[in-house]
Amino acid sequence: MWKFLRLGLSKRRAQEGPATVPPTVRGASAPDHTARRRELVRVVLRDTLRKHGIPTDWIGFEITPLGNSVDGDVHLVHLVVLKWHEHLMDYAPVLQEQLWLGLGRFSPDVDRAQFTFGWKFSPDCACPVDAMPEPAFWSGRKSARVTVPPPASRKFDLPASEYDHRSSGFAPTQPGEMN
């Protein structure tokens, strides 16, 4: 019934399907396509981490196919923090952008709409924070419950000794500021 729409196309080209679908995706089954995407993300993540000096065992990933869209398969990539570093989340948006650039470098046919990134934290990542701060913390107001850490001890502060009371005729040495 719809043969009139394929008028002018060769039989082989009509059987292949639409020309907008890349040949690597056209014949691939869903598990094969997901496995290729998983391998692509693995290679790009390792390369990006090495390039920026981040140990490769600090961040892992999980990839989940979300289904088909108009542009192709969409995959959810969870970047899993396996080892905590206090500045890692400061640079998370920049790291994510570097992953986008790496995906484009390794596979030019990759579209941003095909991947969605999210972050997860391993329970064993050793994050030092275990509770949320008081609401005043986020607005910058001081709260009575916000604790300030004690000042660091001086370099030469020593515990009292039994010899401290003896006088040798010299003035006692006073610790000063060290630069």
Side-chain angles (χ1 to χ4, degrees), residues 1 6 9-10 12-13 17 27 38 41 59 65 72 91 93 112 115 131 147 154 157 159 161 166-167 173 175:
M1 176 174 160
R6 300 205 187 265
L9 294 176
S10 68
R12 190 176 120 223
R13 198 164 160 208
R38 180 175 286 116
V41 171
I59 299 176
Y91 295 97
R112 282 188 181 244
F115 291 97
T147 59
R154 298 178 80 166
D157 283 349
S161 166
R166 292 186 174 178
S167 174
T173 305

Side-chain angles (χ1 to χ4, degrees), residues 75-127:
H75 290 85
L76 173 63
V77 178
H78 276 129
L79 299 170
V80 182
V81 177
L82 301 171
K83 180 161 177 16
W84 183 260
H85 187 276
E86 62 183 286
H87 296 293
L88 186 61
M89 287 294 101
D90 294 340
Y91 295 97
V94 179
L95 179 61
Q96 186 172 310
E97 185 62 28
Q98 291 298 312
L99 288 171
W100 282 122
L101 295 173
L103 286 169
R105 195 172 51 250
F106 276 83
S107 181
D109 64 330
V110 171
D111 183 20
R112 282 188 181 244
Q114 294 175 335
F115 291 97
T116 300
F117 284 97
W119 289 84
K120 288 176 71 173
F121 300 90
S122 168
D124 303 328
C125 73
C127 177

Side-chain angles (χ1 to χ4, degrees), residues 8-149:
L9 294 176
S10 68
K11 287 184 182 180
R12 190 176 120 223
R13 198 164 160 208
Q15 291 171 348
E16 286 178 359
T20 57
V21 179
T24 57
V25 176
R26 192 177 302 131
S29 65
D32 292 339
H33 184 61
T34 300
R36 278 191 295 237
R37 293 291 184 187
R38 180 175 286 116
E39 183 63 17
L40 174 64
V41 171
R42 184 188 69 76
V43 168
V44 170
L45 178 62
R46 288 182 66 86
D47 181 65
T48 302
L49 293 176
R50 282 184 185 152
K51 181 179 176 183
H52 296 287
I54 301 170
T56 56
D57 60 342
W58 282 15
I59 299 176
F61 76 97
E62 298 170 356
I63 187 166
T64 307
L66 294 179
N68 292 330
S69 70
V70 176
D71 297 330
D73 291 332
V74 177
H75 290 85
L76 173 63
V77 178
H78 276 129
L79 299 170
V80 182
V81 177
L82 301 171
K83 180 161 177 16
W84 183 260
H85 187 276
E86 62 183 286
H87 296 293
L88 186 61
M89 287 294 101
D90 294 340
Y91 295 97
V94 179
L95 179 61
Q96 186 172 310
E97 185 62 28
Q98 291 298 312
L99 288 171
W100 282 122
L101 295 173
L103 286 169
R105 195 172 51 250
F106 276 83
S107 181
D109 64 330
V110 171
D111 183 20
R112 282 188 181 244
Q114 294 175 335
F115 291 97
T116 300
F117 284 97
W119 289 84
K120 288 176 71 173
F121 300 90
S122 168
D124 303 328
C125 73
C127 177
V129 180
D130 60 357
M132 290 295 291
E134 293 294 320
F137 173 82
W138 303 108
S139 63
R141 295 187 313 244
K142 298 277 185 191
S143 172
R145 297 190 67 180
V146 174
T147 59
V148 177

